[in-house]
Amino acid sequence: MKLSSGSTEGIGGAALALTGLAAAFSVASCCALPILLASIGVGATWLGGIAIAAVPFRIPLLLVGALSLLSGAALLARQQLTAARCGADSCAPRWVRILTLAGLLLGVALLSAGYLYV
């Protein structure tokens, strides 16, 4: 049984986007997310435990988040260039690239909010 070569295509970029998103969420849980959630009327007390655990590691989380998001963006750009050159059968599926882009954008927004609102 031969597996399709495109079945795992795009997983690296998505994994890096998810890692960056998790680091950005941890950084933003201290100040930015409670402010944002309170402004739309949603309680944010559940973020207290995450914030307490993440505050001592704020700078390393910022660095890991930024590096993961940049690496994920580079892999996504490479996937987009490959998708433009090849047929749809041998590239990462379009929905994987769209979800990766959405994760990268959300991660950048959370990371910048976590950096600005201290």
Side-chain angles (χ1 to χ4, degrees):
M1 173 189 272
K2 183 178 176 185
L3 292 175
S4 170
S5 64
S7 63
T8 61
E9 199 63 38
I11 298 298
L16 285 170
L18 186 62
T19 302
L21 186 62
F25 181 81
S26 298
V27 170
S29 68
C30 169
C31 304
L33 281 177
I35 291 170
L36 175 68
L37 292 174
S39 68
I40 60 173
V42 177
T45 56
W46 58 275
L47 288 171
I50 298 170
I52 289 171
V55 165
F57 305 105
R58 183 176 182 272
I59 300 299
L61 284 170
L62 282 169
L63 292 173
V64 166
L67 288 174
S68 295
L69 292 172
L70 284 172
S71 300
L75 286 176
L76 180 63
R78 189 177 72 174
Q79 290 170 3
Q80 289 293 98
L81 290 173
T82 304
R85 285 186 291 218
C86 70
D89 295 337
S90 61
C91 297
R94 182 175 173 86
W95 64 271
V96 171
R97 296 191 311 262
I98 290 172
L99 285 178
T100 302
L101 179 62
L104 288 171
L105 292 175
L106 183 61
V108 167
L110 283 174
L111 196 65
S112 62
Y115 176 75
L116 294 175
Y117 296 102
V118 178

